């Protein structure tokens, strides 16, 4: 062993065993309690002046019972939440290949722009004369969305993709009702996102499934059979959830319109075609655009999102407000428009997301956005090509922005799609979307997006190849118990659902752990 | 293009691996009629500097609330948010992560959601809370749908004190869900009036406190009346800071509580993104919409958290789901949780008292302005005043004099016939100088 003059070793000892730590921590990874186990009941991390204690006017309305909220000083709060953050995977750490979710890089310029006080510190109801720039930004975003889709109208306010679906179907229902044509059904393929049938049911429609062809697309003959005077709309995702472009999309739209129904397109996968294909040219009547997917507003651990909806000429009169109207003084917001759908939410939608999305659009431009679609599709096909010999692609031919595999190649190994996904965690990767779409057994849906470099794609592919070879070689243990190296091992979801504990109580912590373990 | 890592060489090589000559071959399934050869008619890409210049110019056309005296509320409130909150939510691991579907590598998100749920339950005085909704207005709609599921009744009585945007949002969905909305006329003290309207068809009664005119009400009697008729009481709170001073809805008998949580941790952002808080009684847990985070153990018996009871949700139940909601408002919920953890009970109570004192100070000063009448009797940090002329015009004139005076009620409800009503709010961010500037300007306008 080499030593410095003061005796400090400068090369590692040759010790090979790895004892468990005495505290349970693993290197930098701390076991972090809940704030309720950390904080002081009398502590606060915010310095406020002493208030005047005069609330006589509120006698009888004052809170008498304790709230039971612990407080932390700022250094404690920083440490607590930074430690928690270290237990999360993130797109800034590695590829996040969740199919259908479009986890792409989130440019920090967009964060900076959204935080300009002129956007972040303005009130939705301050006089419109003092927010002309904000309204102009909404107008500009609307222009980009309409131009990219070729659609004449857009409702900006929906707060997420599912909220956009609701907005689109409400407009469709309003359009039918305006003609006195009450229709009962919405058709959607079995491969649809769960939100499609959930939204249709919410709007009062019966949902009927459309069959799928052997090559993963809408079965035209089945669609034609099911279309009729009672069908209000079809909901089709394009590119679809198998990562395939619906080849017959124009015919699908034609048949739908012929039956007096509208074509709602789930735009979750717009990223694959942005700048290359305009939904208007496919015959779409309404489509939501997830700004948090195609236009890269951050997913933030599950929101906030934004789901503006573009509309065709036929549905435009039914788009919910607030509307942007052009006046000689520039664009204004009509906050109380006479429409038959009504308001989707209070105020004017997700302004913070609008700023980020427009910042993303201006950065990419018409040329960059087209390149986005091309690189997203190229990356997915590259993965499909390089894994196709070991794993089984669900469908032949080129895919769009995501590559779908099934679990045929795992047959006989005793390893499930879930096991394979959990083993990916040990290798440092977030798993792909699993068991969706429902039309493919043991589905593994990989969406790399355009913001992965060739090197990161190769690193990911190499890891998956090694895992696939291990699986085929019968190394089942590596998979069935995985993950072994994550902050936690597999969690007991059945237990969580059987006896739900949705908040901390003094009984949680160690005692609860014992009771839970005993069950 | 700075966000696209592939080089022309990469692209060429990768096309070779795939076995196609050009990227166009990958788009072969697109119908010929829909293939666009050229670029769409929009500007070309731009550098950071250019984008900053363009968006900076738009931002500069807006008058930020912090630029001068500012008194708007009506469902969105300007509070001071500690600097550490925004710093933490911008950590890559929070900002750029997805919904925690793989709990082994998402404990950071899951644990803060569990903390969030616990804080929301404590604050509202309820037994369980979910992992957040889009905002307060959509949360109220979901609460009414939930009450209809539980009671199997189809009528909602909405007090005239509920924020008109919230009621309008509810009507949008209620119409298609076959739920009748009996909304009562706008009124400063509208709450008690709902009691007479409760009938055996009533699924729920919706009241807001403090209401849109700022009136704080003890809703215990309404809870009793509603529950006696087999209906649920939904309490809406649009200013969550008020819960640091006022009785919790749970203590007053609420069955479902919906709050706009923007006040804690989140900026004004011109109306969004915000964060809806949603809490209820344990017996209704399985009828709740949205995501729920629950405690469990891992394979080695260590405590951990997972999304749970997902059999209520759209990705499992599809057309039978309790709601079509797929996202929550994760990052805004994180901001809420951090700010609340910093405040603690001590800080929240103090913050609420300061807000109340500021509003009292403002009311005292405004009531001395000739022609101005403070209407709201018992308020938290916001109240209604009657002006001798239409409020919208006066607000516009005051804006020209540097004071953003509040929200004319006519802006929320143009047809209510209450054009002379102005809603004014004062939070801890308002200074004595701001209040004096307001009074001076108003004196000048009304003189």
């Amino acid at each position: 062993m080499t030593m410095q003059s003061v005796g400090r070793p400068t090369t590692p000892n040759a010790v090979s065993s790895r004892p468990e730590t005495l505290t349970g921590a693993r290197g930098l990874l701390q076991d972090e309690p809940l704030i309720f186990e950390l904080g002081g009941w009398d502590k606060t991390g915010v310095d406020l002046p002493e208030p005047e204690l005069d609330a006589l006017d509120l006698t009888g309305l004052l809170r008498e019972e304790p709230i039971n909220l612990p407080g932390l000083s700022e250094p404690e709060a920083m440490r607590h939440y930074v430690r928690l953050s270290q237990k999360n995977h993130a797109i800034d750490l590695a590829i996040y290949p969740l199919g259908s979710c479009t986890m792409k890089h989130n440019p920090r310029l967009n964060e900076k722009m959204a935080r300009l006080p002129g956007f972040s510190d303005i009130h939705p109801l301050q006089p419109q004369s003092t927010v002309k720039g904000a309204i102009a930004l909404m107008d500009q975003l609307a222009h980009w969305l309409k131009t990219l889709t070729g659609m004449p109208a857009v409702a900006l306010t929906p707060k997420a993709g599912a909220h956009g679906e609701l907005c689109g179907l409400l407009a469709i229902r309003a359009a039918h009702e305006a003609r006195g044509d009450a229709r009962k059904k919405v058709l959607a393929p079995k491969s649809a996102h769960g939100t499609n049938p959930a939204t249709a049911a919410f709007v009062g429609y019966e949902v009927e499934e459309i069959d799928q062809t052997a090559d993963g697309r809408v079965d035209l003959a089945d669609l034609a059979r099911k279309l009729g005077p009672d069908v209000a709309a079809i909901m089709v995702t394009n590119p679809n959830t198998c990562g395939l472009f619906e080849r017959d999309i124009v015919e699908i739209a034609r048949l739908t319109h012929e039956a007096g129904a509208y074509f709602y397109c789930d735009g979750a996968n717009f990223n694959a075609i942005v700048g290359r294909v305009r939904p208007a040219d496919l015959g779409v009547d309404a489509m939501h655009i997830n700004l948090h997917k195609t236009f890269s507003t951050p997913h933030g651990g599950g929101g906030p999102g934004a789901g503006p909806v573009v509309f065709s000429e036929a549905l435009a009169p039914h788009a919910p407000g607030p509307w942007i109207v052009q006046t000689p003084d520039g664009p204004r917001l009509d906050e109380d428009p006479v429409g038959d759908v009504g308001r989707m939410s209070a105020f004017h939608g997700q302004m913070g997301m609008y700023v980020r999305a427009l910042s993303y659009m201006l950065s990419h431009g018409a040329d960059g956005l087209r390149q986005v679609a091309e690189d997203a599709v190229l990356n997915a096909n590259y993965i499909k090509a390089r894994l196709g010999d070991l794993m089984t692609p669900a469908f032949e031919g080129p895919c769009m922005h995501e590559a779908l595999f099934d679990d045929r190649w795992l047959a006989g190994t005793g390893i499930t799609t879930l096991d394979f996904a959990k083993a990916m965690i040990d290798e440092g990767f977030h798993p792909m979307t699993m068991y969706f779409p429902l039309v493919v057994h043991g589905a593994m849906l990989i969406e790399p997006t355009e913001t992965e470099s060739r090197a990161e794609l190769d690193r990911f592919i190499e890891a998956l190849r090694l895992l696939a070879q291990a699986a085929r070689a019968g190394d089942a243990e590596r998979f069935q118990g995985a993950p072994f190296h994550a902050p936690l091992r597999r969690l007991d979801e059945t237990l969580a659902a059987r006896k739900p504990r949705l908040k901390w109580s003094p009984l949680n912590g160690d005692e609860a752990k014992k009771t839970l373990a005993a069950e | 293009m700075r966000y696209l890592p592939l080089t022309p060489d990469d692209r060429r090589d990768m096309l070779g691996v795939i076995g196609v000559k050009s990227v166009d071959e990958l788009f072969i399934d697109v119908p010929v009629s829909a293939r666009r050869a050229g670029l769409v008619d929009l500007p070309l890409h731009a550098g950071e500097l250019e984008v900053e210049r363009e968006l900076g110019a738009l931002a500069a056309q807006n008058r930020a609330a912090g630029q001068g005296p500012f008194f708007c509320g009506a469902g969105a409130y300007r509070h001071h948010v500690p600097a550490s909150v925004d710093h933490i939510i911008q950590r890559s691991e929070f900002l750029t992560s997805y919904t925690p579907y793989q709990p082994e590598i998402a404990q950071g998100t899951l644990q803060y959601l569990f903390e969030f749920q616990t804080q929301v339950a404590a604050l509202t005085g309820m037994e369980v809370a979910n992992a957040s909704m889009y905002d307060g207005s959509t949360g109220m709609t979901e609460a009414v749908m939930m009450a209809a599921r539980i009671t199997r009744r189809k009528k909602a009585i909405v007090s005239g004190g509920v924020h008109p945007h919230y009621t309008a949002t509810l009507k949008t969905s209620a119409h298609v869900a076959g739920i009748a909305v009996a909304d009562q006329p706008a009124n400063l003290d509208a709450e008690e009036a709902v009691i007479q309207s409760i009938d055996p068809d009533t699924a729920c009664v919706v009241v807001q406190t403090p209401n849109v005119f700022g009136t704080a009400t003890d809703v215990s009697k309404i809870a009793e009346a509603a529950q006696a008729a087999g209906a649920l009481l939904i309490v809406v709170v649009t200013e969550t800071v008020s819960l640091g001073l006022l009785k919790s809805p749970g203590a007053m008998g609420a069955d479902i509580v919906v709050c706009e949580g923007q006040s804690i941790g989140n900026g004004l952002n011109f109306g969004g993104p915000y964060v809806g808080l949603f809490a209820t009684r344990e017996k209704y847990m399985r009828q709740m919409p949205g995501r729920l985070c629950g405690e469990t153990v891992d394979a080695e018996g260590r405590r951990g958290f997972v999304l749970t009871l997902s059999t209520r949700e759209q990705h499992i139940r599809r057309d039978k789901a309790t709601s079509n909601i797929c996202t929550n408002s994760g990052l805004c919920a994180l901001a809420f949780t951090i700010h609340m953890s910093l405040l603690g009970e001590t800080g929240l109570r103090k913050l609420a008292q300061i807000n109340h004192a500021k509003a009292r100070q403002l009311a005292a000063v405004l009531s001395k302005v000739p022609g101005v009448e403070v209407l709201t009797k018992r308020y938290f940090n916001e109240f209604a005043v009657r002006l001798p002329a239409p409020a919208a015009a006066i607000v516009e004139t005051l804006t020209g004099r540097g004071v953003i005076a509040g929200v004319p009620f006519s802006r929320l409800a143009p047809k209510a016939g209450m054009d002379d009503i102005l809603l004014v709010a004062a939070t801890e961010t308002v200074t004595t100088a701001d209040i004096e500037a307001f009074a001076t300007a108003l004196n000048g306008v009304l003189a």
Side-chain angles (χ1 to χ4, degrees):
Chain A
M1 189 184 296
T2 317
M3 297 274 185
Q4 284 178 337
S5 57
V6 291
R8 179 181 179 280
T10 56
T11 53
N13 292 327
V15 177
S16 60
S17 75
R18 191 155 43 159
E20 288 295 315
T21 60
L22 303 172
T23 58
R26 274 167 295 164
L28 295 178
L29 205 55
Q30 307 279 340
D31 186 16
E32 183 63 10
L34 291 156
I35 49 167
F36 311 98
E37 297 152 354
L38 272 179
W41 299 102
D42 299 320
K43 196 182 273 189
T44 179
V46 180
D47 290 326
L48 293 165
E50 278 310 315
E52 298 167 40
L53 289 171
D54 174 14
L56 288 177
D57 56 318
L58 293 174
T59 305
L61 289 169
L62 295 172
R63 187 190 271 272
E64 284 149 11
E65 75 283 6
I67 315 175
N68 293 327
L69 290 170
L72 299 170
S73 65
E74 180 170 312
E76 292 170 300
M78 286 303 294
R79 235 172 233 172
H80 175 66
Y81 290 104
V82 169
R83 283 177 181 170
L84 288 190
S85 77
Q86 291 180 321
K87 298 175 189 211
N88 271 1
H89 182 76
I91 186 71
D92 286 347
L93 286 167
I95 184 174
Y96 211 135
L98 279 174
S100 221
C101 302
T102 314
M103 294 298 287
K104 62 168 78 175
H105 172 67
N106 299 132
R108 291 314 194 274
L109 172 65
N110 307 351
E111 295 304 306
K112 184 177 176 187
M113 294 299 95
R115 285 170 173 79
L116 293 173
F119 295 133
S120 64
D121 191 25
I122 52 174
H123 189 284
L125 299 172
Q126 71 186 68
Q128 284 206 15
S129 58
T130 64
V131 289
K132 286 187 170 170
I135 298 168
L137 183 137
M138 291 168 73
D139 190 40
Q140 201 176 336
L141 177 73
H143 175 69
W144 278 74
L145 293 175
K146 289 189 286 188
T147 308
L148 288 168
T149 57
M151 307 283 274
V154 62
L156 290 178
T157 55
K159 290 180 173 281
H163 204 219
E165 291 176 27
L166 177 62
C167 172
L169 283 198
L170 287 169
I172 287 169
R173 186 169 152 155
H176 285 302
E177 281 179 354
R179 281 197 304 270
D181 183 8
R183 293 182 172 224
K184 287 202 185 79
K185 263 196 261 179
V186 163
L187 306 181
K190 196 179 177 190
S191 60
H193 294 112
T195 49
N196 292 181
T199 305
F202 188 90
V203 177
Y205 290 117
E206 207 178 291
V207 184
E208 194 173 344
E209 277 178 3
I210 314 169
D211 288 347
Q212 179 168 293
T213 58
D215 67 352
R217 291 163 171 95
V218 167
D219 184 334
L220 262 188
D222 189 57
L223 173 68
R225 231 181 348 263
K226 286 171 181 163
L227 278 167
D230 56 343
V231 174
I234 60 161
M235 294 181 91
V236 173
T237 310
N238 187 48
N240 70 24
T241 60
C242 299
L244 303 171
F245 198 94
E246 291 286 351
R247 280 185 209 116
D248 297 322
I249 192 89
V250 174
E251 184 62 8
I252 290 171
R254 196 189 65 76
L255 288 172
T256 302
H257 293 149
E258 210 174 71
Y262 293 101
F263 177 5
Y264 186 89
C265 181
D266 180 328
N269 296 337
F270 188 49
N271 199 50
I273 57 172
V274 61
R276 278 194 71 109
V277 178
R278 300 186 317 165
D281 298 332
L282 306 174
V284 169
D285 290 301
M287 182 181 95
H288 73 263
I289 298 164
N290 308 78
L291 296 185
H292 48 287
K293 293 182 180 177
T294 307
F295 300 108
S296 192
T297 70
H299 281 80
V309 181
V310 288
F311 287 104
S312 65
E313 211 65 72
L315 289 179
H318 306 283
W323 296 335
I324 300 164
V325 290
Q326 305 300 332
T327 75
D329 286 342
R332 272 190 65 82
L333 271 181
D334 183 354
E335 294 170 22
D336 208 36
V338 185
D340 43 14
V341 166
R343 251 185 192 283
M344 294 303 298
S345 68
F347 312 128
H348 333 297
Q350 307 285 69
M351 182 64 176
M353 304 295 118
Y354 303 161
V355 180
R356 290 170 174 88
L358 187 63
S359 174
Y360 175 93
M361 289 171 175
L362 293 173
S363 293
H364 283 78
D367 49 339
L369 288 174
R370 189 179 171 96
Q371 193 69 54
V372 160
E374 292 180 1
D375 285 359
V377 170
L378 179 63
N379 281 354
N381 278 283
Y382 180 68
I383 287 175
K384 188 177 178 193
R386 290 212 47 205
L387 293 176
D389 59 327
L390 285 174
M391 296 162 60
T392 40
F395 301 103
E396 295 302 311
C399 62
M400 297 302 287
H401 61 299
E402 52 197 354
L404 177 61
F405 297 90
D406 57 29
D407 62 359
R408 277 174 296 164
W409 65 282
L410 284 172
T413 61
I415 296 163
T416 62
T417 293
L418 182 72
D419 297 332
F420 187 76
K422 297 298 184 192
M424 285 172 68
I425 293 175
D426 281 334
E427 304 299 334
F429 292 101
H430 194 284
M432 65 288 270
T433 292
M434 301 177 285
Y435 300 104
F436 179 85
L438 308 177
V439 292
V440 167
H441 197 268
M444 303 177 205
L445 187 62
I446 303 177
E447 179 179 8
T449 83
E450 72 284 359
T451 59
E452 294 309 324
S453 68
R454 170 95 186 265
E456 178 76 355
L457 289 174
D458 284 338
R459 202 173 73 84
F460 174 71
I461 289 165
E462 287 312 326
L464 257 65
R465 290 190 68 84
L466 289 171
L467 282 172
Q469 281 156 356
R472 284 166 168 255
D475 185 5
E477 260 178 46
R478 171 182 302 282
F479 297 89
Q480 287 161 347
F484 297 96
H485 300 283
L488 288 181
R489 301 283 304 280
R490 268 189 228 191
L491 288 126
D492 191 339
E493 295 178 13
T494 309
L495 176 65
R498 205 177 62 223
K499 225 184 160 188
R501 280 179 206 276
L502 305 182
K503 64 173 184 182
W504 179 86
S505 78
L507 263 182
N508 290 43
D510 280 344
E511 272 180 69
K513 224 158 41 181
K514 274 180 225 147
T515 8
L516 281 168
E519 286 160 11
Chain B
M1 217 292 121
R2 60 188 179 277
Y3 304 132
L4 300 175
L6 295 186
T7 66
D9 283 352
D10 288 334
R11 294 186 183 110
R12 200 189 47 240
D13 290 353
M14 291 163 72
L15 288 169
V17 171
I18 296 163
V20 294
K21 287 195 183 62
S22 80
V23 78
D24 291 338
E25 287 182 46
L26 301 176
F27 287 86
I28 197 79
D29 291 327
V30 177
V32 178
S33 63
R35 290 182 202 166
R36 293 187 71 82
L39 297 178
V40 286
D41 185 19
L42 288 166
L44 299 182
H45 69 273
E48 273 211 13
L49 180 60
E50 288 70 34
V51 176
E52 273 196 46
R53 233 176 237 151
E54 184 164 353
L55 293 179
L58 287 177
Q61 290 176 38
N62 304 325
R63 184 203 187 271
Q67 279 173 251
F70 186 88
F71 301 92
C72 291
Y77 300 87
R78 182 167 190 266
H79 290 285
H80 177 76
V81 178
S84 53
V85 173
D86 194 44
H87 185 88
I88 295 171
I89 68 167
Q90 286 198 71
R91 282 206 45 112
S92 291
E93 301 91 331
F94 288 134
L95 185 75
T96 78
S97 59
Y98 195 69
T99 303
Y101 286 138
Q102 299 290 336
E104 299 88 348
I105 46 173
Q107 284 300 304
T109 297
L110 287 158
Q111 185 167 332
Y112 85 64
L113 289 177
F114 191 77
E115 294 179 353
F116 172 84
Q117 289 175 179
T118 308
Q119 287 173 332
V120 171
L123 204 54
T124 54
M126 302 300 286
E127 288 160 353
V128 287
N130 76 7
S132 80
M133 310 296 287
Y134 303 138
D135 71 351
S137 66
T138 53
M140 184 180 110
T141 299
E142 290 285 348
V144 170
M145 299 297 152
M146 176 174 152
R149 282 196 298 277
I150 291 169
T151 60
R152 297 170 194 272
R153 297 179 184 178
K154 293 277 191 181
K155 180 178 168 186
I157 297 171
V158 181
S159 150
V162 172
H163 194 296
H165 282 188
Y166 282 48
T167 308
T169 304
L170 166 63
K171 284 183 176 174
T172 298
S173 289
H175 167 66
V176 295
I179 292 172
V181 176
D183 56 324
Q184 305 195 332
N187 184 334
L188 264 88
D189 298 294
E191 284 65 36
E192 301 275 329
V194 296
I195 293 179
Q196 284 81 51
S197 307
I198 299 171
D199 63 21
D201 296 331
T202 305
C204 59
V205 175
V206 186
V207 293
Q208 179 180 325
T209 181
N211 74 14
V212 72
F213 300 101
T215 306
T217 311
D218 186 334
V219 298
S220 309
K221 284 203 185 79
I222 306 171
E224 282 165 27
Q227 286 149 10
L232 305 191
L233 176 67
I234 298 171
V235 175
V236 174
V237 179
T238 59
E239 170 49 301
T240 297
V241 173
S242 70
L243 295 174
L245 185 65
L246 301 176
K247 269 188 194 170
S248 74
M252 297 187 286
D255 294 292
I256 306 174
V257 182
V258 174
C259 310
E260 174 50 69
Q262 169 268 330
S263 279
I264 311 279
N266 290 277
L268 290 171
N269 290 314
F270 200 49
Y274 288 175
V275 51
L277 318 184
F278 195 105
T280 188
R281 297 166 182 271
E282 191 156 2
K283 63 179 171 183
Y284 302 136
M285 177 171 64
R286 286 170 200 271
Q287 288 298 333
M288 281 176 99
R291 293 200 177 122
L292 294 170
C293 172
E295 182 182 328
T296 187
V297 292
D298 80 350
E300 291 176 8
R302 289 176 294 183
R303 177 170 72 183
F305 304 94
V306 291
L307 292 181
T308 191
L309 299 182
S310 57
T311 48
R312 300 162 300 118
E313 291 188 77
Q314 48 77 25
H315 61 280
I316 309 282
R317 294 276 281 168
R318 300 178 77 87
D319 56 328
K320 305 283 189 303
T322 55
S323 156
N324 75 336
I325 285 179
C326 181
T327 36
N328 56 355
S329 199
L331 210 60
C332 301
L334 174 61
F336 178 100
T337 296
I338 300 165
H339 192 183
M340 193 58 87
S341 302
L342 285 164
L343 284 168
E345 177 152 355
T346 320
L348 179 68
R349 282 182 182 270
K350 213 165 166 184
L351 179 65
Q353 283 167 5
I354 294 169
N355 272 257
H356 180 58
K358 288 281 181 194
R360 294 254 288 167
Q361 188 189 349
L362 176 65
V365 172
L366 290 185
S367 62
K368 290 193 191 108
V369 177
V372 175
E373 187 189 353
V374 173
L375 298 178
T376 312
K377 301 282 184 304
R378 286 145 68 88
Y379 52 83
F380 170 61
N381 68 354
E382 182 171 26
F383 52 87
V385 296
R386 177 175 289 133
L387 298 175
I394 291 176
V395 165
E396 207 55 57
T397 312
L398 288 172
T399 299
R401 300 184 183 196
V403 176
I404 307 279
V407 178
F409 189 70
S410 61
R411 182 145 176 203
L412 296 174
K415 294 174 197 118
M418 299 174 87
D419 292 3
D420 55 350
I421 303 292
L422 178 68
L423 309 177
V424 288
T427 70
E428 76 284 359
T429 62
V430 166
T431 64
T432 299
D434 291 338
I435 292 174
E436 280 162 9
F438 187 179
T440 306
L442 190 56
N443 258 314
V445 170
L446 298 183

